[in-house]
């Protein structure tokens, strides 16, 4: 159960939940089943090898977008952070429809430059403000070897 101070606490595996006798069945989707970590140097390439369940249970936001900014995948953590259902996010333009506050040189400009150059690996701090209370996050933009574009978001 999430505590009242951190509405995303259920996304973390802290070991306090019944460590013995659990076989890790599907009744407990709140526990991450992935080794993906936001600060891992190789997380960008790990994303393309992870299955959808691993991406969905990561303890940070994961958004996959095409070269035009259209969302291909939107994980549960990001959905909880933004209040946008993944089914509504997929097919939308991240920079103009979901997060127009990111449609600027700092965020979208870096993304466009990386796509144009064929390589993207950026890490920066950003404040999201669109349809939400200002939220300070760390952002990673990454383009993997298969030309998939990823936006990773971790609340500070």
């Amino acid at each position: 159960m999430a505590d009242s101070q951190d509405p995303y606490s259920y996304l973390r595996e802290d070991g306090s939940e019944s460590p013995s006798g659990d076989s890790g069945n599907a009744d407990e989707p709140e526990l991450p089943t992935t080794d993906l970590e936001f600060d891992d140097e190789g997380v960008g390439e790990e994303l393309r090898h992870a299955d959808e369940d691993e991406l969905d249970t990561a303890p940070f936001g994961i958004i996959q977008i095409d070269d035009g900014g259209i969302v291909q995948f939107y994980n549960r953590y990001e959905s909880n952070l933004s209040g946008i259902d993944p089914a509504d996010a997929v097919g939308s333009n991240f920079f103009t429809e979901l997060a127009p506050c990111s449609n600027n040189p700092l965020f979208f400009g870096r993304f466009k430059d990386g796509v144009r150059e064929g390589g993207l690996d950026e890490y920066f701090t950003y404040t999201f403000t669109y349809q939400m209370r200002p939220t300070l996050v760390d952002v990673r933009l990454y383009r993997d070897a298969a030309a998939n574009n990823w936006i990773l978001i971790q609340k500070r």
Side-chain angles (χ1 to χ4, degrees):
M1 175 171 207
D3 68 42
S4 62
Q5 295 299 314
D6 183 0
Y8 307 107
S9 63
Y10 74 93
L11 293 170
R12 282 192 300 281
E13 184 173 14
D14 62 7
S16 64
E17 298 280 327
S18 161
S20 62
D22 251 341
S23 60
N25 60 29
D27 296 7
E28 300 176 5
E30 69 276 8
L31 295 178
T33 59
T34 181
D35 291 331
L36 295 173
E37 293 187 28
F38 186 86
D39 288 325
D40 278 356
E41 188 171 318
V43 70
E45 283 302 317
E46 291 174 17
L47 294 171
R48 74 182 175 111
H49 298 291
D51 65 32
E52 210 167 281
D53 287 338
E54 290 174 303
L55 296 174
D56 201 38
T57 58
F60 54 90
I62 299 174
I63 305 161
Q64 182 183 9
I65 59 175
D66 68 12
D67 289 352
I70 303 300
V71 173
Q72 309 297 304
F73 176 81
Y74 200 82
N75 82 341
R76 184 176 64 178
Y77 181 102
E78 186 59 27
S79 175
N80 288 331
L81 183 62
S82 68
I84 298 169
D85 188 90
D88 294 333
V90 172
S92 299
N93 186 294
F94 178 79
F95 299 103
T96 61
E97 297 175 85
L98 297 182
C101 62
S102 67
N103 191 3
N104 58 50
L106 178 65
F107 203 128
F108 186 45
R110 289 179 182 187
F111 173 76
K112 287 190 309 187
D113 290 346
V115 168
R116 185 176 51 252
E117 295 166 6
L120 180 61
D121 191 359
E122 297 277 339
Y123 190 125
F124 56 96
T125 300
Y126 195 76
T127 302
F128 282 104
T129 58
Y130 183 66
Q131 293 187 347
M132 63 191 311
R133 198 173 67 182
T135 304
L136 187 64
V137 298
D138 287 327
V139 175
R140 292 184 79 172
L141 301 177
Y142 190 81
R143 185 174 176 94
D144 68 30
N148 298 302
N149 302 305
W150 303 93
I151 301 172
L152 284 63
I153 298 174
Q154 183 168 321
K155 188 173 178 184
R156 290 183 127 228

